[in-house]
């Protein structure tokens, strides 16, 4: 007589229950509250900016700050912002885009080249040079603004676009980031294989290493793009021509006119400053949305089997 043992049918149910219990245990109420507080911290200023852009000058001072106007005039404010002073806001926007893109691309490429060199080559004084880079990270940019102005004044670059672009090309934090990233993202075995095949160091960097460094490169590019786009103090001391102003300095001049009643000022300039600030963050949001995919996966995945 043969006895057949049946497999228990409750195992899947037990597995599902265990998974649910494990997932519930991983939930942390304090952590959730902290994340919600951080989310509110970052989103509330943007919400205020959006709500304030729907108001006129009177509503800005008399209505609740975190809600929209009863008579929204967002599109009227946008139209007035682009037409104020013969459309100078568009000129400021183009200036800012030119400064930010040139600085971001240049800084990212320089940081990638220097970080790759520090990570993959050994030379006399490399540690001392890298420690100098780490020390430069500790120096605030505002502390270098006046010396930079004096230096650029000597060579006649003040009140030119180069006065904004050249200082932004130096990014010690970006160099440090690329050095750390290149140490793991670019395998030494891949470089040795390329050298055995007869490739030169420049070709290896441009054709192999630079592609593997793309996620880190995009990170440095975005950091520099945001820093240059939002830079205020350096353009303020370097530029005297309103036609060269970026958005930050241009909107500041509008705010000063509204407060002091300067030439060309009107009672409705404060809504234009707020609306211009809202418009100025739209390109940054678009840039992050377009380039975020490079952060999600590294291009070196599967390139070498160790």
């Amino acid at each position: 007589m043969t006895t057949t043992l049946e497999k228990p049918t409750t195992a899947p149910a037990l597995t599902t229950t265990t998974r649910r219990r494990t997932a519930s245990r991983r939930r942390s109420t304090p952590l959730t509250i902290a994340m919600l507080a951080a989310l509110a911290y970052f989103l509330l200023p943007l919400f205020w900016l959006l709500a304030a852009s729907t108001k006129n000058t009177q509503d800005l001072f008399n209505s609740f700050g975190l809600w929209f106007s009863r008579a929204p005039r967002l599109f009227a404010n946008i139209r007035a912002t682009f037409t104020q002073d013969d459309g100078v806001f568009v000129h400021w926007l183009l200036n800012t885009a030119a400064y930010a893109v040139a600085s971001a691309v240049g800084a990212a490429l320089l940081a990638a080249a220097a970080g790759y060199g520090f990570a993959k080559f050994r030379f006399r004084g490399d540690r001392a040079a890298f420690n100098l880079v780490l020390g430069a990270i500790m120096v605030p940019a505002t502390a270098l603004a006046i010396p930079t102005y004096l230096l650029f004044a000597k060579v006649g670059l003040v009140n030119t676009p180069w006065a904004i672009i050249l200082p932004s090309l130096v990014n010690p934090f970006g160099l440090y980031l690329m050095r750390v990233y290149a140490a793991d993202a670019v395998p030494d075995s891949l470089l040795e294989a390329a050298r055995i095949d007869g490739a030169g160091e420049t070709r290896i960097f441009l054709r192999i290493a630079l592609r593997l460094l793309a996620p880190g490169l995009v990170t440095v590019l975005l950091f520099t793009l945001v820093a240059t786009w939002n830079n205020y103090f350096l353009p303020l001391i370097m530029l005297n021509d309103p036609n060269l102003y970026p958005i930050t300095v241009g909107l500041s001049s509008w705010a000063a006119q509204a407060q002091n009643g300067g030439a060309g000022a009107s009672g409705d300039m404060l809504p234009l400053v707020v609306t211009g600030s809202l418009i100025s963050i739209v390109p940054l949001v678009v840039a992050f949305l377009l380039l975020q995919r490079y952060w999600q996966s590294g291009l070196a995945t599967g390139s070498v089997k160790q």
Side-chain angles (χ1 to χ4, degrees):
M1 182 176 180
T2 304
T3 302
T4 304
L5 298 177
E6 296 181 358
K7 295 183 180 180
T9 58
T10 59
L14 292 176
T15 303
T16 304
T17 304
T18 304
R19 289 178 180 177
R20 290 178 179 175
R21 289 178 179 176
T22 304
S24 63
R25 290 175 183 174
R26 290 179 180 175
R27 295 175 184 174
S28 173
T29 301
L31 182 59
T32 303
I33 295 175
M35 293 299 295
L36 291 176
L39 184 65
Y41 176 81
F42 287 110
L43 293 184
L44 275 180
L46 298 179
F47 182 77
W48 176 89
L49 195 62
L50 178 61
S53 298
T54 65
K55 303 177 181 180
N56 54 25
T57 304
Q58 184 178 2
D59 290 339
L60 283 174
F61 293 99
N62 298 331
S63 63
F64 180 59
L66 291 177
W67 198 244
F68 303 95
S69 173
R70 294 182 178 179
R73 44 179 293 118
L74 175 62
F75 295 105
N77 287 339
I78 293 176
R79 189 184 312 110
T81 301
F82 280 106
T83 57
Q84 179 71 21
D85 295 338
D86 298 326
V88 69
F89 180 81
V90 178
H91 197 68
W92 293 340
L93 190 64
L94 294 177
N95 288 342
T96 307
Y99 300 153
V101 171
S103 300
V105 173
L109 291 177
L110 288 177
Y116 170 78
F118 275 116
K120 297 302 177 182
F121 294 93
R122 294 294 174 263
F123 53 91
R124 182 177 299 178
D126 58 343
R127 291 187 178 181
F130 189 69
N131 290 333
L132 185 63
V133 172
L134 294 180
I137 298 176
M138 308 301 175
V139 180
T142 53
L144 301 176
I146 301 302
T148 304
Y149 173 82
L150 297 177
L151 178 64
F152 277 50
K154 288 290 185 179
V155 296
L157 292 179
V158 173
N159 204 34
T160 65
W162 295 110
I164 309 301
I165 296 174
L166 291 180
S168 301
L169 296 179
V170 181
N171 190 343
F173 176 74
L175 193 156
Y176 168 75
L177 184 66
M178 292 304 300
R179 192 263 185 191
V180 174
Y181 188 82
D184 294 328
V186 184
D188 294 333
S189 57
L190 184 62
L191 300 180
E192 290 298 329
R195 294 187 182 110
I196 292 175
D197 289 341
E201 296 298 335
T202 302
R203 185 178 180 183
I204 291 174
F205 173 71
L206 295 177
R207 300 293 297 273
I208 299 175
L210 200 60
R211 296 184 179 183
L212 300 177
L213 294 174
L217 190 72
V218 172
T219 303
V220 176
L221 187 145
L222 282 175
F223 283 165
T224 309
L225 182 72
V226 173
T228 308
W229 192 280
N230 295 329
N231 198 356
Y232 171 73
F233 189 61
L234 182 65
L236 180 66
I237 67 174
M238 287 290 187
L239 302 177
N240 299 320
D241 187 0
N243 291 324
L244 295 176
Y245 283 172
I247 288 179
T248 52
V249 181
L251 293 178
S252 176
S253 66
W254 275 3
Q257 290 179 18
Q259 293 177 0
N260 302 327
S266 65
D268 293 330
M269 289 201 68
L270 284 181
L272 303 189
V273 174
V274 176
T275 307
S277 301
L278 176 65
I279 297 172
S280 67
I281 68 174
V282 174
L284 296 180
V285 174
V286 173
F288 270 87
L289 293 177
L290 292 178
L291 298 176
Q292 67 174 349
R293 62 189 182 93
Y294 289 99
W295 291 345
Q296 297 175 357
S297 61
L299 297 182
T301 304
S303 60
V304 176
K305 293 182 179 180
Q306 299 293 345

